[in-house]
Amino acid sequence: MSKVPNGYEVIQLFEQFAPKSLAMEGDPIGLQMGTLNKPIHTVFIALDVLEEVVDEAIANRADLMIAHHPPLYRPLKQILTDQAQGRIIEKCLKHNITVYAAHTNLDIAQGGVNDWLAETLGLKEVEVLAPTYEEKLKKLVVYVPKTHASAVREALGHAGAGHIGNYSYCTFNSEGIGTFLPEDGANPFIGAKGELEQVEEVRIETIVPASLQKKVIAAMLKAHPYEEVAYDVYSLDNQGHTWGLGRVGKLLQETTLGEFAEHVKKSLDVPAVRVVGQLDDPVKKVAVVGGDGNKYIRQAKMSGADVYVTGDVYYHVAHDAMALGLNIVDPGHNVEKVMKQGVARFLEQEFAKKKWNTAVYASKVHTDPFTFV
Ligand SMILES: [Zn+2]
């Protein structure tokens, strides 16, 4: 049975992919206009919320717009409808278009903007360029009667515990004897009040990302037969998953800076790029930051990249890169347009899985302000 989800359901699903907690401090992400408390028949995806883009959303009867660049970026003192920003707000509210921004959280997300760019450039062995957040890991140990060990292991794994690299449902199990004496008020699953009980139990150990701790423990308690469950949670020093801005990876084959610049133009679909460096320099390792990556030239150099692909490079930053011996290819900020298809693909797949009857529409309006002549 297909259904039309409400805004909360759509955003909850989207935030599993690009959690708000990944965003950089002060980034005004999330719900910006309208309400999520309504059915969503059409989701519209945009890079920039320009007035033409809002008109396109209206024409496509969008209920929810997911935009990369937050249309409300700085605090507003006035909403003047003789100016573009005021009209954008007016039109969205009048046409009941809810606007939700996913900015640096979408850049940082695993499989987000920077991964789409790395993929489009054909990079392999891709890693994070500038780490922003490292997941803490916990160890969960729980004691379960033998009869229920497999049900509890299943619940733990299903809730996301026991992920190590490309392996899931990882646990270690040792058998032993559990003892307990049910006191007044107890309603024991095994044994009787006032009698010391001995039960064959299994000690199940597994690893849990801190962000999933609550969910995993809730699932474990639900699958466990005991009234009072004995379990321990330990903090670990193991390195968890690292999130961050930008990516660094390798081209399949070494090329020259000049040829690489041509490759960037073609693959990212831009008419021209700006290049810093000697065109015959060899290029194999590539760092990329979508949008404005001026802040990350040192990380790009430290990563060992032969070339750094980013937009909006300032004159003096280009000089700094030259001094560092770092080549740059600047395809502009608009290459982040890959997010439109990226988010659309993700939502279409997830909606299909859930049998949600919601259309996904990626904006076709060209929003690059620059023309090359
Ligand atoms: Zn951007």
Side-chain angles (χ1 to χ4, degrees):
M1 262 272 288
S2 69
K3 75 158 198 172
V4 175
N6 68 37
Y8 293 108
E9 292 172 301
V10 173
I11 290 303
Q12 197 180 38
L13 190 146
F14 177 75
E15 286 181 358
Q16 284 174 14
F17 165 57
K20 279 190 193 164
S21 58
L22 291 182
M24 303 293 277
E25 210 184 317
D27 193 12
I29 51 151
L31 184 61
Q32 291 215 318
M33 290 180 229
T35 176
L36 292 173
N37 190 15
K38 63 175 184 181
I40 306 293
H41 299 275
T42 302
V43 180
F44 180 89
I45 299 149
L47 171 61
D48 304 298
V49 187
L50 304 185
E51 197 172 355
E52 299 94 296
V53 174
V54 174
D55 291 339
E56 187 191 16
I58 294 167
N60 284 282
R61 311 177 76 86
D63 302 298
L64 169 65
M65 183 189 303
I66 296 180
H68 187 46
H69 292 136
L72 306 180
Y73 198 72
R74 289 178 193 84
L76 286 178
K77 291 210 174 74
Q78 295 156 312
I79 300 173
L80 305 177
T81 50
D82 60 353
Q83 290 173 14
Q85 195 186 24
R87 282 195 302 276
I88 286 168
I89 296 168
E90 183 190 27
K91 285 182 179 180
C92 287
L93 295 178
K94 218 183 233 174
H95 293 272
N96 205 10
I97 298 173
T98 297
V99 180
Y100 176 95
H103 188 213
T104 48
N105 50 327
L106 188 62
D107 290 326
I108 290 170
Q110 206 178 353
V113 176
N114 286 299
D115 279 315
W116 290 321
L117 288 170
E119 193 187 323
T120 311
L121 291 173
L123 304 187
K124 305 291 170 203
E125 298 170 47
V126 174
E127 290 171 16
V128 166
L129 177 67
T132 52
Y133 176 69
E134 192 184 294
E135 176 97 88
K136 296 257 182 297
L137 290 173
K138 301 287 179 95
K139 166 156 283 196
L140 173 64
V141 175
V142 57
Y143 303 85
V144 192
K146 256 172 121 176
T147 48
H148 288 71
S150 62
V152 170
R153 273 193 298 269
E154 169 69 28
L156 290 168
H158 187 71
H163 250 281
I164 303 176
N166 290 327
Y167 296 83
S168 58
Y169 289 79
C170 300
T171 63
F172 185 82
N173 301 265
S174 43
E175 293 183 7
I177 302 292
T179 67
F180 50 86
L181 189 137
E183 301 270 359
D184 278 351
N187 180 19
F189 175 72
I190 299 172
K193 246 178 258 180
E195 285 173 30
L196 186 66
E197 191 62 44
Q198 293 203 354
V199 182
E200 284 186 49
E201 290 183 346
V202 180
R203 172 191 159 104
I204 304 174
E205 310 181 22
T206 190
I207 203 160
V208 182
S211 59
L212 292 180
Q213 183 178 326
K214 270 192 191 150
K215 183 181 169 197
V216 166
I217 289 177
M220 178 271 285
L221 292 176
K222 206 171 162 202
H224 200 294
Y226 285 0
E227 187 178 24
E228 300 294 345
V229 176
Y231 67 93
D232 309 312
V233 180
Y234 301 87
S235 293
L236 297 179
D237 290 332
N238 303 37
Q239 197 179 357
H241 182 80
T242 299
W243 278 272
L245 272 171
R247 298 294 183 265
V248 57
K250 288 179 184 153
L251 295 168
L252 273 181
Q253 279 184 345
E254 188 177 288
T255 178
T256 63
L257 181 59
E259 279 172 23
F260 178 71
E262 287 297 331
H263 168 66
V264 172
K265 267 166 67 174
K266 231 178 275 158
S267 50
L268 299 183
D269 181 32
V270 286
V273 294
R274 296 188 299 163
V275 181
V276 179
Q278 301 297 323
L279 294 182
D280 55 359
D281 275 356
V283 168
K284 170 92 178 165
K285 196 167 182 184
V286 178
V288 58
V289 170
D292 165 359
N294 281 287
K295 268 190 242 161
Y296 300 98
I297 59 163
R298 272 170 191 81
Q299 272 100 331
K301 179 63 189 174
M302 270 167 11
S303 74
D306 303 309
V307 61
Y308 179 36
V309 179
T310 196
D312 292 348
V313 174
Y314 304 133
Y315 182 78
H316 293 298
V317 170
H319 279 158
D320 293 344
M322 282 170 78
L324 285 170
L326 176 69
N327 297 324
I328 292 181
V329 171
D330 179 346
H333 197 129
N334 194 252
V335 294
E336 288 187 305
K337 65 190 173 192
V338 294
M339 63 72 59
K340 292 188 277 186
Q341 287 309 323
V343 173
R345 270 198 312 268
F346 168 79
L347 290 180
E348 275 164 1
Q349 276 169 14
E350 295 300 313
F351 290 173
K353 272 190 227 165
K354 291 194 172 290
K355 296 194 168 62
W356 283 356
N357 198 3
T358 296
V360 179
Y361 185 95
S363 171
K364 294 190 179 73
V365 171
H366 179 73
T367 59
D368 195 341
F370 300 112
T371 308
F372 292 89
V373 292

